[in-house]
Amino acid sequence: ISFEPSGLPSEFPTFTLFGLDDFLQVDSPGSVTYQVQHGIMFDVTAKDAEMTIHNFRIPFYRYGLMTVSIWSTAGSFWYNKNDENAWELMGSPTAWSPGNTLDDPRPLTQRSGVNYGFQPIVIPAGTTKGIFIVINGTSADENLIGMDRKDGVCAVDYRDPFNFTTWFENDDLAVSEGIWKNQEWSNHTGSTGTSNNSFRFLGSIYYNSGPRQPSDQPSISSRPSTSSVPSSEPSLSSNPSVTPSAAPTVPPGPNAILSEAILKDIIGGYTGRDDDPAMCTTSASADATSFSFDWPNTNHQSNWNPAFESFEEGLFQAIMSHSDAEGNSWSIRVGTSGNMYSHFVPDMYGETMPPQNHVDAPWIDEVQQTVAVNHELNRNVDAEYPEFCDVSDTDNPVCKPYFVHQAGAYQYDAPYTDVPFFSPSLAKHCSGNSCIFASWGTQAHLATPFTSPIIYINKYTNCDNGIIAHTQMIHNFADPSDPASTPANVDQNFFNVGWGGVRSSSLPFALEPDEYKGNLEYSDADTVNYLKLCKWGDGDHDVPGGPAAPRGDRKDLPELGGYTTFVSEGLLVNHPVSLIEPWCRKGTESDCREPSTCMIRSCTDEQVADDGFVRMELKVPPRSRPNCVSQKVGRLVDGHIQLACDLRETIGFGQTRVYSSSLDSCAPWTNLGFYNTVTEEMLTVATFRHWSWSPNDRQVYFSVYGTDAGDAIDLVNGMFDNSNSDTALPIELREASANIPADYDPSTFSTFTFVYGMGNEYGGSGGGGPVGGSSRRRVGSTRQGVGTRDYTVFTINWRGGAVLTAGSTYSNRSFMFSSNLGKVEETADELVDKTFVDQIEFDRWNPRTVNVYQSGTSFVVHAALEASGGSTTCDNSSGTISTCIGQSTPQPGHVPFFYITCGEQTYFGPDPYHFTPDFGATFPNHGDMDNMVRSYICDGQDESIRPSWELMGFFPKSADCTSSSLSSSTYDETVCMPEPTSSRTLNDGFRFLQSNDEPTSQPSSQPS
């Protein structure tokens, strides 16, 4: 790792990494009596030498992602436990728990900025520091820290000092018993401990003992780079590296020239292809583009699910970036399947893609990708194909799903998919301002009886100004002349082109232009062109004989304006909603002795009248004020000020869990409001958390917008001041209409936009075009926020008569771009007409010739140098041209040939399942429930060995091409390399050495 800044820009901070093995470790004893709370305080005393704490191993109660704050104070914690000013916040790292880890505490993960997310805690020799570890939150629904409870009677809020005994120690340090503390600094709430009853830290402390590091050691930087272009790999030099040229040419690897020919011909080598827009072919866009096939390390600013981060290196295939001084820089990461799994904009909201909090689906589902479905096999109504169903219950057969994912397969086939199987790369090429990839699509739902006849091709082109042109192609490579290529076996008739979406917490709003006027309205909160974002699958949609769908959920493309934009936080939208019902105390729980069970979400008037239920009301008592206090002094939580205020007239209510930030689950931007029924003033509430929590107070818990806790407290206390009235002040929970500030300017908000066109190329749903079927846009939402899937789904479907038969190819060019909201309409309107959809049959391709050359048991494949060229050359006399002649694109009587490796075994031929364990059939046929298809296994080899595939061209299945001598040959680029009879310099600058050439002792000039 570089100790000085690299000259190469980086998309995440540079820092000095220490592994846990670099530290000393002391472990606590175990526990007999567990207690779980949000936080714990205890003392650490350094003995004879100065010590530095670097990390903690912490037991968590639940699965999930959370933020843990680490505080320290000079001296014992006890005397300062409720004085925030005496404590220093060392950091708030993100932590991850795979489940209940009370018996298996987890260390804080290594993050960017500082090693483990908090500044090291230095304790001089012979001194003590108090430590406070707390999960940010006050709800039992959020995660909790495990601790040991010492025997005794628990005395809540005990404030007299006492002597804490040592809990555990070694030669370097001693750790005291402590207390639990749920809230950070709110009054004295949440601290407990007596001489008979203490709470003791469980886990480990990682530390160094001895003098601090010398001052000339490199400092740790937490400042991210402003560029989105990562260094290709960590620098080993102590000097700044040289900045690379803006558009480097990726060095060719094995088969790179052949891959370039095949990919360029498939993308552009057919009659009737629409040319790339002029904006995407400029030299300026090429100069601003960079790319690399080298693993750049995880971008920690993307905040991926930590449980999946270790899988990313196996997923990664390429990174492509655009550098822009105007704030439109971006960086995309492309997986082995050619799909975009990361879109990062450093000058805006950061990561566009969801965090991957989807069990068994690391970068499998919540990414940008193409999907193909055989509806007949997928729906399999009434088990029409029983060989693909579990029919043990004849009344309820369970049939296997059929979805060919571009991204890869769910981890449903343990142990074979404990390491995810991402769809394999077949070819890749980057040059100028674009990258092209081909991959073999994978059946997503494992284990599966189905084979896959789908090749996906994707091209990404930098068109400047934050714009990416995205061409998706789907090729059905089943052989039309094969009797097994029946419609039921191989036809695809429902598609996502593509499937994708955005991270909800970064881009919570979705807007589309007015379907009648064509303009995009966003400045007036009453007329914003917003979309409903209902839970995926729950939204309204067209029902035969029913009302038409609203703007959200599903809409055919001809009814839309050609694009959808997602907007960052801050947009104001007024929207009619229903109110939240107040919680009730059960009639059998009049004193709420069990606060966690005495409340229910709502009750009827009959229950109130006849059964003693009590419905909660918001009121300020006579001659009183709300007496608000801040729960998170000095800090914002989710960007809001957290308050607890006396807004009930009576005590005796228990724990309620509202956690609502909107009044409509399909409109997360709707604002809640507390309405003063006397003054008619409205307080906008960011999040309504609890009607009540403790039966011993009248506090209501909520958050408001703002950045200063004192101002927020004064606002609420003043707005609901009832100190001069002899009657209670009723407060109503209403929708808060957006109050637009004088300087409100949503045109500056960040956006990410999909441009998909009007669907005019399709024949159905009013399109009138030559491509069969129709197309629609669909959106939906999952839960938003840290620890949730945090995913707004966005997809374009090709459907309703769509069909991709054996040998056919579908092509779709769309656009996506990041910009501020003020530029969306102008930019998108220009791009809508540049979208393009086509379906390509055999007679439209213009391929070049592809030849096989053999030498003994080796072979190489060469393509003609020019597009549509008919001849190839071999520069070695030992390379003999084969009678197996292929083409660079699909052709009648030709199918794709693959070069497959499985460990030391190789194969050249048309069967992608050559090394797959026997599934009772051959491609394009399928297996059955007793013979699953596992393309990700090399038959007879260890499960850790996986096959790799390369696309070599399209060849006839003739005897010349499928002979055993050729199919078992090994691919070797040297078959046609010039013979090393003399030193020779080629036009491209490569020099081949004679056997007696000696390497020089010093490098020649500077590396290129």
Side-chain angles (χ1 to χ4, degrees):
I1 301 298
S2 173
F3 285 140
E4 296 189 23
S6 167
L8 294 175
S10 172
E11 65 174 325
F12 51 89
T14 300
F15 53 94
T16 304
L17 292 175
F18 294 97
L20 293 179
D21 291 341
D22 296 322
F23 303 124
L24 299 170
Q25 176 179 345
V26 59
D27 302 320
S28 73
S31 175
V32 176
T33 307
Y34 282 110
Q35 177 91 3
V36 288
Q37 300 289 347
H38 280 90
I40 185 169
M41 285 183 171
F42 55 92
D43 290 336
V44 178
T45 300
K47 294 186 176 180
D48 298 330
E50 178 181 86
M51 62 166 293
T52 303
I53 299 174
H54 293 276
N55 198 3
F56 297 95
R57 199 161 61 101
I58 303 170
F60 296 112
Y61 185 52
R62 296 187 178 93
Y63 161 93
L65 194 67
M66 74 214 85
T67 301
V68 177
S69 290
I70 310 294
W71 298 76
S72 74
T73 185
S76 175
F77 74 86
W78 180 252
Y79 302 99
N80 298 319
K81 65 182 182 298
N82 294 311
D83 181 6
E84 180 191 5
N85 294 326
W87 291 80
E88 179 182 1
L89 177 62
M90 308 306 292
S92 296
T94 299
W96 169 259
S97 177
N100 185 311
T101 61
L102 294 181
D103 293 322
D104 184 21
R106 298 303 169 102
L108 299 175
T109 54
Q110 196 167 57
R111 310 297 292 178
S112 59
V114 292
N115 264 16
Y116 296 96
F118 66 93
Q119 294 292 337
I121 302 170
V122 179
I123 307 176
T127 68
T128 296
K129 281 197 174 181
I131 305 296
F132 180 25
I133 303 174
V134 60
I135 295 177
N136 293 335
T138 57
S139 163
D141 279 347
E142 298 170 353
N143 219 324
L144 301 167
I145 295 172
M147 57 196 74
D148 177 75
R149 191 175 98 177
K150 187 177 180 180
D151 291 340
V153 179
C154 177
V156 176
D157 199 23
Y158 190 90
R159 288 190 287 274
D160 291 334
F162 63 96
N163 183 31
F164 286 93
T165 59
T166 296
W167 167 225
F168 61 96
E169 63 182 326
N170 63 10
D171 292 340
D172 300 318
L173 61 90
V175 177
S176 76
E177 297 178 341
I179 63 171
W180 64 261
K181 185 173 177 65
N182 262 0
Q183 301 174 23
E184 288 183 316
W185 312 114
S186 177
N187 298 324
H188 299 291
T189 306
S191 62
T192 182
T194 72
S195 56
N196 294 321
N197 182 249
S198 300
F199 295 86
R200 304 186 287 201
F201 171 75
L202 295 177
S204 304
I205 297 176
Y206 296 91
Y207 69 99
N208 284 334
S209 182
R212 297 183 64 181
Q213 295 180 353
S215 59
D216 61 353
Q217 287 293 314
S219 61
I220 297 172
S221 170
S222 61
R223 182 181 299 277
S225 165
T226 58
S227 169
S228 64
V229 187
S231 309
S232 61
E233 58 185 23
S235 170
L236 297 178
S237 170
S238 61
N239 296 315
S241 60
V242 179
T243 303
S245 57
T249 299
V250 176
N255 206 28
I257 297 174
L258 176 64
S259 293
E260 177 182 359
I262 293 172
L263 291 171
K264 285 186 173 180
D265 287 355
I266 292 177
I267 282 288
Y270 59 92
T271 303
R273 178 187 178 274
D274 189 53
D275 292 333
D276 288 335
M279 70 176 69
C280 303
T281 58
T282 65
S283 59
S285 64
D287 291 342
T289 307
S290 60
F291 34 74
S292 174
F293 296 142
D294 296 325
W295 165 236
N297 295 318
T298 292
N299 176 7
H300 291 294
Q301 294 182 64
S302 291
N303 292 316
W304 302 124
N305 178 347
F308 291 159
E309 280 188 354
S310 62
F311 297 139
E312 190 191 355
E313 186 172 2
L315 162 70
F316 174 84
Q317 180 169 215
I319 185 167
M320 177 180 178
S321 303
H322 166 70
S323 180
D324 189 333
E326 301 300 317
N328 279 329
S329 296
W330 52 260
S331 178
I332 66 172
R333 295 189 178 207
V334 178
T336 58
S337 65
N339 74 298
M340 184 179 79
Y341 73 85
S342 172
H343 176 273
F344 189 79
V345 281
D347 301 321
M348 296 185 185
Y349 49 80
E351 181 60 57
T352 304
M353 297 291 104
Q356 307 305 307
N357 292 330
H358 187 177
V359 177
D360 294 328
W363 293 285
I364 295 299
D365 193 305
E366 296 167 8
V367 294
Q368 189 68 29
Q369 65 172 316
T370 313
V371 180
V373 181
N374 180 319
H375 249 333
E376 188 166 358
L377 294 181
N378 184 53
R379 286 179 170 168
N380 203 355
V381 179
D382 299 324
E384 183 179 354
Y385 302 93
E387 64 269 32
F388 308 131
C389 305
D390 179 354
V391 294
S392 55
D393 183 348
T394 55
D395 294 329
N396 297 287
V398 179
C399 300
K400 287 288 188 177
Y402 184 115
F403 287 84
V404 181
H405 273 199
Q406 181 189 356
Y410 298 108
Q411 293 177 283
Y412 294 163
D413 193 19
Y416 308 115
T417 57
D418 290 348
V419 174
F421 181 65
F422 303 111
S423 292
S425 171
L426 298 178
K428 60 188 178 185
H429 173 72
C430 291
S431 62
N433 65 331
S434 66
C435 288
I436 314 172
F437 306 92
S439 64
W440 179 27
T442 298
Q443 289 286 348
H445 295 270
L446 305 181
T448 182
F450 299 120
T451 57
S452 165
I454 296 300
I455 290 176
Y456 292 113
I457 303 96
N458 281 256
K459 179 181 180 182
Y460 304 91
T461 303
N462 178 15
C463 300
D464 278 340
N465 299 314
I467 302 169
I468 302 172
H470 181 205
T471 299
Q472 307 167 75
M473 299 183 79
I474 313 170
H475 175 62
N476 187 331
F477 68 88
D479 183 0
S481 65
D482 190 329
S485 295
T486 63
N489 250 2
V490 302
D491 282 7
Q492 311 293 303
N493 39 40
F494 185 89
F495 306 85
N496 300 96
V497 289
W499 170 274
V502 298
R503 187 172 297 196
S504 307
S505 56
S506 298
L507 298 159
F509 301 92
L511 276 60
E512 287 179 351
D514 187 280
E515 55 190 293
Y516 302 108
K517 299 178 182 178
N519 65 307
L520 183 68
E521 176 57 50
Y522 55 81
S523 58
D524 185 342
D526 292 322
T527 60
V528 175
N529 296 136
Y530 67 87
L531 293 183
K532 293 178 69 176
L533 294 178
C534 304
K535 181 180 177 182
W536 180 256
D538 287 355
D540 298 318
H541 54 278
D542 289 326
V543 177
R551 289 174 53 80
D553 197 27
R554 304 163 173 91
K555 273 289 187 181
D556 290 329
L557 296 198
E559 301 177 36
L560 300 172
Y563 65 92
T564 303
T565 189
F566 293 88
V567 187
S568 60
E569 286 188 309
L571 190 69
L572 299 178
V573 179
N574 286 338
H575 174 67
V577 293
S578 302
L579 297 182
I580 294 176
E581 291 189 75
W583 282 56
C584 300
R585 185 179 64 216
K586 300 174 185 177
T588 56
E589 300 277 355
S590 59
D591 54 5
C592 251
R593 289 187 177 181
E594 295 294 336
S596 63
T597 60
C598 66
M599 306 296 295
I600 60 173
R601 290 185 178 275
S602 63
C603 55
T604 65
D605 291 341
E606 289 76 13
Q607 287 175 312
V608 172
D610 300 334
D611 300 326
F613 282 66
V614 178
R615 184 179 289 125
M616 301 185 72
E617 297 179 284
L618 298 179
K619 288 184 178 181
V620 179
R623 301 291 176 179
S624 298
R625 304 179 77 211
N627 300 317
C628 295
V629 295
S630 174
Q631 290 185 282
K632 307 287 181 180
V633 176
R635 291 194 302 106
L636 303 181
V637 178
D638 297 328
H640 310 137
I641 299 292
Q642 305 285 317
L643 299 178
C645 303
D646 292 338
L647 296 182
R648 287 184 288 106
E649 193 174 12
T650 59
I651 62 174
F653 294 96
Q655 297 174 6
T656 64
R657 297 173 177 85
V658 182
Y659 293 119
S660 179
S661 57
S662 71
L663 289 168
D664 185 344
S665 60
C666 292
W669 55 84
T670 52
N671 287 310
L672 299 165
F674 288 166
Y675 178 71
N676 187 320
T677 56
V678 175
T679 65
E680 299 183 347
E681 292 179 283
M682 180 75 76
L683 173 71
T684 300
V685 176
T687 305
F688 189 14
R689 299 178 66 83
H690 311 290
W691 286 90
S692 64
W693 192 254
S694 170
N696 300 317
D697 61 43
R698 300 192 299 272
Q699 289 184 327
V700 175
Y701 299 81
F702 59 96
S703 61
V704 297
Y705 297 99
T707 57
D708 185 271
D711 291 345
I713 290 171
D714 291 343
L715 173 65
V716 179
N717 285 343
M719 187 177 292
F720 299 101
D721 186 352
N722 197 37
S723 57
N724 295 322
S725 175
D726 292 327
T727 60
L729 169 61
I731 300 172
E732 295 180 1
L733 185 62
R734 295 185 178 184
E735 180 193 6
S737 298
N739 298 316
I740 302 178
D743 59 350
Y744 177 64
D745 182 12
S747 67
T748 63
F749 295 167
S750 299
T751 66
F752 182 78
T753 304
F754 293 99
V755 181
Y756 40 81
M758 303 298 295
N760 297 326
E761 297 88 348
Y762 299 100
S765 299
V771 178
S774 61
S775 190
R776 73 178 180 196
R777 181 270 296 132
R778 188 178 178 191
V779 293
S781 182
T782 66
R783 287 185 61 196
Q784 177 178 323
V786 175
T788 71
R789 289 179 66 179
D790 201 12
Y791 179 32
T792 301
V793 186
F794 174 88
T795 186
I796 301 296
N797 293 131
W798 178 32
R799 58 188 287 273
V803 61
L804 195 68
T805 59
S808 293
T809 306
Y810 168 90
S811 181
N812 180 318
R813 183 178 65 219
S814 59
F815 299 88
M816 44 195 166
F817 66 90
S818 49
S819 73
N820 62 47
L821 182 53
K823 293 182 179 179
V824 168
E825 183 176 355
E826 178 184 1
T827 304
D829 284 347
E830 183 180 1
L831 295 173
V832 166
D833 292 336
K834 295 177 173 60
T835 59
F836 182 72
V837 176
D838 202 357
Q839 193 164 357
I840 309 150
E841 303 303 334
F842 283 141
D843 59 351
R844 293 176 57 191
W845 292 107
N846 301 308
R848 72 184 79 192
T849 296
V850 176
N851 287 125
V852 176
Y853 292 87
Q854 290 181 274
S855 177
T857 58
S858 300
F859 79 102
V860 72
V861 180
H862 277 191
L865 296 178
E866 303 296 330
S868 303
S871 63
T872 64
T873 59
C874 180
D875 290 335
N876 192 314
S877 60
S878 66
T880 304
I881 192 167
S882 169
T883 53
C884 177
I885 302 173
Q887 306 290 329
S888 59
T889 69
Q891 286 290 286
H894 292 59
V895 296
F897 268 44
F898 307 93
Y899 183 64
I900 311 174
T901 60
C902 259
E904 299 298 319
Q905 296 178 299
T906 66
Y907 163 80
F908 172 70
D911 181 12
Y913 295 94
H914 179 79
F915 290 116
T916 300
D918 180 40
F919 53 91
T922 57
F923 177 78
N925 286 305
H926 307 292
D928 54 42
M929 295 300 288
D930 295 322
N931 294 280
M932 294 298 175
V933 180
R934 292 185 167 97
S935 61
Y936 38 93
I937 297 176
C938 291
D939 190 22
Q941 300 192 47
D942 187 85
E943 64 196 43
S944 63
I945 299 174
R946 282 187 171 164
S948 65
W949 293 259
E950 289 185 79
L951 178 61
M952 309 305 291
F954 296 80
F955 295 84
K957 291 191 291 186
S958 63
D960 290 335
C961 292
T962 58
S963 67
S964 59
S965 63
L966 181 55
S967 64
S968 60
S969 294
T970 302
Y971 189 87
D972 186 351
E973 290 276 3
T974 65
V975 167
C976 280
M977 282 187 175
E979 299 174 58
T981 57
S982 62
S983 181
R984 175 182 178 188
T985 301
L986 303 180
N987 291 334
D988 61 6
F990 287 103
R991 182 172 182 270
F992 294 89
L993 300 178
Q994 297 180 4
S995 60
N996 60 351
D997 282 345
E998 294 292 335
T1000 60
S1001 60
Q1002 297 294 327
S1004 57
S1005 65
Q1006 293 295 318
S1008 60

